[in-house]
Structures are given as C-alpha cells and as structure tokens.
Amino acid sequence: QVTLPRRMVPKAVRDAFRRTSSAAPAPAPAQKTSPANPRIGGLDIVFHAQLGEPLCELTKAQGSLLAAATWDGAITFVDGTNGEFKVRCGVLGEDPPNAIAFSSDSTWLVCCSDDGYARVISSDAGSLVLEHAIAEEPEPGKRRRLAAAEHAITLDSTSFVAAAGRLIHTYGVSQGKLQHALTMDANVRSLCCAPSSMASFWAYAAAYQGGVQLVSPSGDGICKLSSGRPLRSLAMSDEWLALAAFDGTVELWDMARRAATASPHRPEADRSLQAYCRSDGASLQWRADGGGLAVSGKRASVFDFTGANPKHPYRKDHGALGQPDPLPRVCMEDGSHQQLVAWAPPDTDTPATRLATVGKDGVVRIWQPHGMPLRKGGQGDPAQPQRMKAQFYTFLKNDAAHPTGDAVEPRALVWLGEAVVAVGYETGDLVAWRH
C-alpha cells in the first residue's frame, strides 16, 4: 500500500472526502514502538498539549510562540514554554494551510492554502488582517485562475513571499499591496531567505525543477543556478546555499566566495555530496553557525564544515575550515525512517552541536554528530579500499517515544530552547521534552 503526501492529493479528492466525512482524515491506527529497539531515555516531558484536530503544520517564532495549523483550517497560537493555548483563528475556511511562517517580530503569521490565497493573521488577537490571491490579473470577462499556494517565507516584519505553481508574489503587509511578481520556469518547490550578509544583493531564493532563481530586493531575477536533479528542499547558511534532491544528493554553491570574487553568475554547483545511507532530502537544515548540514533519510546524516577532518583509513579528501568534509557522519539507527532533522540553538558559551531527529515511528532522538568518538566505516568491499564510500558513524544519546508509547506519525520538529525539543504529531498532540 502506498500513501501519498497530502500535498500530492488533488484538491477535488480531498473536497470529496470532506463531503462524506465530518472530520479530517483519521490518523493511521497506532502501533506500539518496536520492543526490539528499547528506549535509551534521558528526556523528560515538559508539556503535552492536545489541539483536538489533526495537525498539518507547526512553526516557531523568534521567541517562544508557536503556531499550529490543523486540518479544519484553524490556526492555534501556543505558548512554547508551557503548552498553553493563547488564541485561535478559525476563519480561514475549509482548506488546511500548506505553509505557515512568522514575521521577524512575531506580530503576524502568513499562511497559504489550496485555494490560492495567502492570509495574514495577527499573533496577538488571532484575527484575519488581510488576504491576497497569488494569481495573475484575469483578462476582462474571464475568471481568475488560482493554483494551490504551497510555500511561504517572510523577509522581515513588513513583507512576505508566497508561491502558487510557477508564480511568486512579494506582498507588503504594512502597505497592504503587492510589491513584486515573478514567474518561474516550473512550479516552485522551495523558498528560502538570503542571510543578512547578502540581503543587499539578493532577498530570497526559489527552487524549481532545473535549478534555483536568486531574486533581488527589487523583485528581479538576478541569477540562475542550475541543477539536473529532482529538487526537494533548500537551505542557506551565511556562506553556502544547499539544495537537496529526492535521491539524497546535496549540491552546494559557495555564495560568500562568489560575492567576494564578483562571480555569482556561474550556474553549476561548486560541490556535490552524498551520504550513501538512503537520504531523501525531505528535511535539510544548517547548524546555527554553519558548522554542519543535516539531511533526513532512512538514516539521518551530517556533513561537517568545521574543518575537523578526523582520520579515516578510506579518506580521499579533506575539508578546510568552512568547507565541507565529504565524509558524512551517519546517525546509526536501525529503526524508523528519520523524517525530520533539527539543530539545537546555540547556548551562550558554545555552538549548538546537538541534533534532533524524529522518525516515522514518532520517536524523537538526540545525537552529537560532532562529538567523539566516531566509528569509522563505509559502503563497499573493504578488500578494495580505493573504491570504498567512506563514512563516520555517530550513535544515539537520548530518545523518547510519544507519551502513549504508540508509533505516531510526526508532522513537525522544533527546538523551543537550548535544551527543549518539541514534536507535533498528526494526531494533534504537541509534546515537548527537556534534554
């Protein structure tokens, strides 16, 4: 049996389902986590909140505020320190949001839905501030054509960028008007903001089949980066633009060096990495200081950018400080597929080196992929070391299952602080643990 992600299910099919059911699709029957993989533990529950509806999206503001979108089309704002509900917005219609994002000052939230609209909601009052159709103006006498809006980011506290199909709109919330419109060569698959160090050169990047378009603050397409791979996710550090494909390949563009040498227009990737552990590219995240890049998959993996370069008998290449070590650090877990990855925020004295993952079984796991010892290994025949695909292996430090002990599908993974990680489950449960 094959289960398609919700976004791959046509809207008409979901609408037909809603007409025959008064509730959102019921989560799959719960199964107990495998006794063959006993829990290590070491994580204590901080709070367990229940939304009452299946969860589809969860995001965190700069502070402790959370926003949870549910299948009934509502947005609930949650206090990330104790799990208490602050305010709820239930005026968005029947379509559950596909993407949600907070403004930089956390005063409003933008959400996008299948009806092709981006809506802005007040974080304090939970009220609808404005709504905007991500569509071209129709010809006289014709109806506007709307595509599902599936991606959204905020550039600052005054504007957002949202994509529906091939069309991207930049909208000024404070002015209440469209600022820029741009049409890609294919449907947009991911959006990400430029780091502050490059924001004067380009404002955001949009990934689509064929590559990445860099867009200037004035809304002009200024540079296209090419890729022939099936793109899935996009992430940016202070120096590198990373693109992950469905086959787990990670392509890298050294944007800092390109900006410094005034050569940003070379389209090909500067580096290409592969972990050889069935990575899927669904979740891709940089460590806060750019020292590591984590990728989801059958086993989560990390590429190191600190220049540590541990010794390995099969090593063929090294990474200098700020450059990628081509040898992946594989998180050794034989249980569930690791669907989501998230780095802990840095504390006051040391960089964040803790990585959280959550598997299809709903178990949250904590790793130290930059810590020692790292076991040396690889894929291939040890009798032919010149052909080995070298790897480092890192092992589990702590873990915790859903409070019921059931295997529950996760929807989101976020860190609420230096030592508190939270998982949003499809059942509508929000659970936070302290490390």
Side-chain angles (χ1 to χ4, degrees):
Q1 181 180 358
V2 177
T3 302
L4 293 175
R6 177 174 62 85
R7 293 177 187 173
M8 295 179 63
V9 180
K11 181 177 183 298
V13 174
R14 297 206 298 274
D15 289 344
F17 183 87
R18 291 194 188 98
R19 287 193 291 269
T20 58
S21 173
S22 59
Q31 299 178 356
K32 293 294 180 181
T33 55
S34 173
N37 296 295
R39 305 275 70 81
I40 293 177
L43 301 179
D44 300 319
I45 291 182
V46 177
F47 65 77
H48 179 188
Q50 296 175 308
L51 295 167
E53 293 286 341
L55 178 72
C56 56
E57 297 287 336
L58 179 72
T59 191
K60 178 182 174 296
Q62 291 288 345
S64 61
L65 187 63
L66 298 171
T70 47
W71 264 89
D72 58 354
I75 301 287
T76 302
F77 294 94
V78 183
D79 187 336
T81 62
N82 54 24
E84 293 183 359
F85 298 162
K86 298 176 69 68
V87 68
R88 183 176 184 273
C89 177
V91 297
L92 302 183
E94 294 183 354
D95 286 324
N98 293 320
I100 55 177
F102 273 107
S103 61
S104 60
D105 61 3
S106 308
T107 58
W108 52 267
L109 179 89
V110 60
C111 60
C112 295
S113 303
D114 278 353
D115 62 4
Y117 277 80
R119 295 176 174 85
V120 173
I121 303 165
S122 167
S123 301
D124 293 329
S127 56
L128 181 65
V129 176
L130 61 87
E131 60 181 14
H132 169 70
I134 308 168
E136 297 177 348
E137 287 299 321
E139 297 179 7
K142 293 187 177 181
R143 298 178 61 182
R144 173 180 283 169
R145 298 179 61 182
L146 293 168
E150 296 187 329
H151 307 282
I153 56 174
T154 59
L155 298 182
D156 45 41
S157 62
T158 62
S159 60
F160 67 81
V161 178
R166 299 190 303 153
L167 185 62
I168 301 175
H169 277 187
T170 302
Y171 192 90
V173 175
S174 56
Q175 303 95 338
K177 65 178 182 179
L178 177 66
Q179 294 178 332
H180 315 295
L182 199 62
T183 301
M184 298 292 100
D185 297 333
N187 288 352
V188 175
R189 294 189 173 180
S190 185
L191 296 170
C192 79
C193 297
S196 57
S197 59
M198 302 182 194
S200 61
F201 172 55
W202 58 282
Y204 68 90
Y208 56 93
Q209 186 58 43
V212 180
Q213 174 74 69
L214 302 185
V215 183
S216 73
S218 60
D220 300 316
I222 56 175
C223 177
K224 285 186 178 181
L225 308 176
S226 63
S227 173
R229 298 187 178 278
L231 311 181
R232 195 168 193 185
S233 57
L234 185 65
M236 183 73 204
S237 72
D238 285 340
E239 297 182 5
W240 293 88
L241 178 69
L243 196 65
F246 278 85
D247 64 1
T249 301
V250 176
E251 294 179 299
L252 294 165
W253 286 263
D254 190 343
M255 303 306 297
R257 182 181 59 80
R258 289 171 178 238
T261 58
S263 59
H265 299 294
R266 185 167 63 85
E268 296 80 12
D270 296 305
R271 301 293 295 269
S272 180
L273 304 173
Q274 176 61 263
Y276 302 105
C277 59
R278 296 174 63 184
S279 302
D280 61 12
S283 183
L284 180 72
Q285 191 176 89
W286 286 98
R287 212 172 80 172
D289 63 353
L293 178 64
V295 190
S296 62
K298 177 62 179 176
R299 286 175 172 164
S301 58
V302 171
F303 292 100
D304 179 68
F305 284 70
T306 65
N309 297 320
K311 293 182 179 180
H312 196 294
Y314 306 138
R315 180 181 284 283
K316 302 173 185 177
D317 195 5
H318 296 72
L321 181 63
Q323 297 292 316
D325 185 346
L327 274 62
R329 303 176 182 216
V330 179
C331 298
M332 298 301 289
E333 166 59 43
D334 292 329
S336 178
H337 187 105
Q338 301 304 294
Q339 294 187 178
L340 299 167
V341 297
W343 291 99
D347 59 29
T348 54
D349 300 318
T350 59
T353 58
R354 288 192 300 272
L355 176 71
T357 66
V358 62
K360 189 176 176 62
D361 57 2
V363 175
V364 61
R365 297 171 171 90
I366 306 297
W367 312 82
Q368 284 278 10
H370 294 279
M372 296 295 175
L374 291 170
R375 204 180 92 191
K376 304 172 183 67
Q379 299 292 319
D381 182 2
Q384 296 179 304
Q386 72 279 8
R387 296 186 179 182
M388 286 289 289
K389 298 176 177 66
Q391 297 171 319
F392 290 110
Y393 301 145
T394 183
F395 296 90
L396 189 62
K397 299 299 182 182
N398 304 100
D399 64 1
H402 185 276
T404 62
D406 294 335
V408 183
E409 185 89 10
R411 290 295 183 205
L413 175 67
V414 296
W415 284 86
L416 304 181
E418 299 169 5
V420 180
V421 64
V423 177
Y425 292 95
E426 68 170 2
T427 53
D429 295 291
L430 305 180
V431 186
W433 293 269
R434 185 176 302 277
H435 177 260

